[in-house]
Amino acid sequence: MAGHSAADDAGAAEAAAQTGVTTVGAKKTPGPAATAEKTAVPQARFAEVKPGELAVRPGEEPWTTEEVEEARAELMSEVLRLREEITNSEQALAGLMRDSGDGAGDDDADTGTKNITREHELALAANAREMLSQFERAHQRLDAGTYGLCENCGDPIGKARMQAFPRATLCVECKQKQERRY
């Protein structure tokens, strides 16, 4: 190993004596190819997916054609609403940026107010873009037949959860684990 010396060995031995640890095992992580082969999430289906083929949890009724069309319509309406919101936000930002240049005669409070307003609009636009991305991705998953499957474990997310939160990508258990990590 490059940079490995007897001093490193002595330091490790001293640390082991202080902590009582005899060996430390390194965990090797598999490369991307090995991970992709073992993933629990099924690949997208390229043939047309029938509503009854979408994932549901045990005990749930299968998706009906009407429910799938309702989900598709809701996803598309949200995509259109968010695109309009982003356009309006960008227009408001353009006006704020144009107005921020002529601050002659403004006091510190006016300048601060303009900055806060601009930052607020930027945050709203970024949030709308993120939500748009999530809704577009959910629509793609619906078309691919992977809608309702957890992207982490591959288990069904649950029809009720998908109807309540159509852009969900994780089952409740995986979402809880993810939130505990942060």
Side-chain angles (χ1 to χ4, degrees):
M1 257 193 285
H4 186 76
S5 67
D8 291 336
D9 288 340
E14 184 179 329
Q18 289 177 352
T19 61
V21 175
T22 55
T23 60
V24 177
K27 181 179 175 185
K28 290 187 177 183
T29 56
T35 306
E37 291 172 8
K38 294 181 182 179
T39 185
V41 180
Q43 296 296 316
R45 300 176 232 170
F46 294 103
E48 185 175 334
V49 179
K50 294 178 181 64
E53 294 177 1
L54 290 175
V56 292
R57 294 188 87 128
E60 288 183 330
E61 294 292 320
W63 286 87
T64 64
T65 304
E66 294 80 25
E67 290 169 333
V68 171
E69 290 309 313
E70 185 179 316
R72 187 181 311 279
E74 183 179 351
L75 291 171
M76 283 310 298
S77 71
E78 281 298 309
V79 165
L80 295 174
R81 182 189 69 78
L82 288 166
R83 285 181 181 160
E84 184 178 337
E85 185 178 318
I86 290 168
T87 301
N88 293 340
S89 186
E90 286 174 347
Q91 289 171 350
L93 275 169
L96 288 171
M97 297 302 261
R98 185 177 49 250
D99 294 344
S100 70
D102 62 354
D106 286 350
D107 62 6
D108 288 342
D110 290 337
T111 303
T113 301
K114 286 180 182 179
N115 288 340
I116 289 171
T117 304
R118 185 175 60 241
E119 291 297 319
H120 181 70
E121 280 298 322
L122 284 169
L124 289 175
N127 185 45
R129 281 188 196 93
E130 177 61 28
M131 286 182 60
L132 174 63
S133 172
Q134 291 173 2
F135 275 104
E136 287 174 336
R137 187 166 167 214
H139 190 265
Q140 291 168 351
R141 289 169 47 97
L142 186 60
D143 290 341
T146 58
Y147 187 73
L149 289 175
C150 178
E151 290 185 345
N152 189 39
C153 67
D155 291 340
I157 292 173
K159 185 170 136 181
R161 177 167 162 79
M162 294 306 297
Q163 288 172 329
F165 189 67
R167 63 184 199 266
T169 58
L170 299 174
C171 63
V172 173
E173 295 82 11
C174 290
K175 186 65 177 171
Q176 287 172 344
K177 288 177 189 174
Q178 180 191 49
E179 288 176 355
R180 280 194 294 260
R181 271 190 250 144
Y182 298 111

